Amino acid sequence: MARTVAAKVSDAAVDAWHLAEPGLPLREEDIVDPGSLVEQSRVPVQSSVGPVQSSVGPARTGSLSVGWVCTPPAPGSGGHTTFFRMVEEMEERGHHCTLYLYDANDDDTSRHEQTIRSHWPALRAGVRSATNGMEGVDAIVASSWPTAHVTAGRAPGGVHLFYFIQDYEPYFYPRGFLYALAEDSYRLGLTNVALGGMIGEVMQAELGEPPQAVVPFGCDTGTYRLLKPSPGNIRAGVVYYAKRKIDRRGYLLARLALERFHALHPEQEIHIYGDTVTGWDIPVTNHGNLTPTELNSLYNRTIAGLAISFTNVSLVPGELLAAGNVPVLNHSAFASGLLRDPDAVWAPATPAGLAAALAEVVSAPGIEERAQAIAGRTRLDWSSTREEFARLLENACASMSHLPPLDSLRGGRT
C-alpha cells in the first residue's frame, strides 16, 4: 500500500511540474533531414578491410587536425573510453586533436574538461564546444547518433566526415521518433565505420546498406590481466556492472537473476559496481565507480561476472575474461555474434536461466586453475583497432580529389 501511495504521489508531482514531457538529446536546430542532402560524392580510400568511401575533402598529408565530436563523458563511460582510444592513437602519430563536446543544454565545457583530465589523463586534445564552431580541421569524427546529426549540420565545408559506430543505436529506443532519428544518422553522408562485424550485419539487415568500413572489437589486455593471488586467498563471489537507467544493459533482469542466485548460493558475496543500488531483497556490496586498476583487482578476487546486453556486447565480458573471470551472458544474437570466446557462458535471458548459469560456474571445481587457463588465452587488444582506424583517417585525408567542396553538395537543415 505504501508503495502504491508513493507511486501515485510521484506521478502527480511529475504531471504538476511537467517533468514527464519527453525531451530531445539534441537541439531542434541540429536535426538534419537526410532528404535535404544532395547525394555526396565520395573518394575511395584503402583500409585493411578493403576500399571504403570517404566524404569529400581536399588532399592533405603530414600532420592532420582532427575534430572528435562526443557528448560530455561521465567517469567510467565505456563508450567514451573506446572513442578516446582512437583519439590517443592519432595523437601518438603526431596529429593534432580537438574534442568538440555537444551538450544539448549548455555550451560551457569547463566542468566537463575537468572530468576528462581526471579520468582520461593520457588525452592531450583540446576541449571546446561543438556549438561554437569546428573550423580549422581536416576531418571530423562523430561518436553517436546525436553527434552524427551535429557533425552533418555544423561541419565546415571541405572536411572529411566520419561516424565511429559502437552500437546499432536505433535499438536504444522503442519504435518512434528517436528511433527514426538514430536510424537517419547512418544516412547523413558521413563515412560509417563500425566497431565489430556484428554492427555491419545489423546495418545491412535493417538499412539495406553496410558500413563503409569495419574495425575489430578489442580488449584492454594491458590493464585487465591475471594477478598473482595473495597467499591463502581464493576467488569467491560474483560481480555485476549496474546501469539502472540503460534498459539494454538489463538491470531489472540482473536484479531478479542475482536474487535467485543468492537463494541458491547465499555464501557467495555479490559485488556491484557502477551505479549504487538500494532496496534489493538480498545483501550486496556496493563499490560505486572504480578505476580500471581497481576493477581488475575485483575481477581477480571473484569467480564470475554477470554481463547483460541486448544490443552490441559491452566491454565487460572481454575484460572479465582477461582477468580470469567467467562472464555469464544472456543469449542474444547481437552480442553472441561478436563474442565467440569458448570460456564465455551463455544462458537464457531469464532470471532462472542466468541464476542457474552463475550457480554452475561458482560450484565447478578447479576455480584457480580455470582462471589461469582463461586469462592465458591470446586475445585481440585495442592496438589493431586504433591502427586501422587511424590509417583510414590518414588515407582519406591524403586522397586526391577534384570534386567540389562539401558546402556546395549539402542542403539545408530542418
Side-chain angles (χ1 to χ4, degrees), residues 14-92:
V14 166
D15 290 340
W17 296 333
H18 306 290
L19 298 178
E21 186 71 18
L24 284 169
L26 76 169
R27 301 176 190 183
E28 183 180 350
E29 64 268 23
D30 286 320
I31 298 174
V32 178
D33 180 359
S36 70
L37 302 177
V38 178
E39 180 64 26
Q40 297 180 17
S41 300
R42 294 171 181 267
V43 180
V45 297
Q46 195 70 27
S47 79
S48 61
V49 295
V52 301
Q53 303 294 315
S54 169
S55 302
V56 174
R60 174 69 188 273
T61 58
S63 179
L64 302 171
S65 180
V66 183
W68 306 79
V69 189
C70 63
T71 56
S77 169
H80 285 87
T81 297
T82 301
F83 189 59
F84 292 163
R85 287 189 177 105
M86 309 303 119
V87 182
E88 290 173 16
E89 177 68 19
M90 290 296 285
E91 290 182 330
E92 291 175 10

Side-chain angles (χ1 to χ4, degrees), residues 1 5 33 66 74 79 90 189 203 205 223 249 266 291 309 346-347 370:
M1 184 180 295
V5 172
D33 180 359
V66 183
M90 290 296 285
M203 289 179 66
T223 300
R249 298 306 188 206
T291 66
S309 179
W346 299 91
R370 180 180 58 190

Side-chain angles (χ1 to χ4, degrees), residues 57-66 94-96 136-139 158 160 393-401:
R60 174 69 188 273
T61 58
S63 179
L64 302 171
S65 180
V66 183
H95 303 298
H96 178 266
V137 295
D138 303 295
H160 297 274
L393 262 64
E394 291 169 342
N395 291 343
C397 292
S399 298
M400 295 302 296
S401 173

Side-chain angles (χ1 to χ4, degrees), residues 162-197:
F162 295 85
Y163 181 6
F164 184 68
I165 303 169
Q166 300 188 52
D167 211 332
Y168 189 71
E169 296 189 5
Y171 286 169
F172 293 4
Y173 309 98
R175 291 277 184 171
F177 184 43
L178 294 182
Y179 185 105
L181 288 177
E183 195 173 59
D184 281 345
S185 69
Y186 308 121
R187 305 185 179 112
L188 299 178
L190 285 67
T191 297
N192 294 322
V193 183
L195 179 62

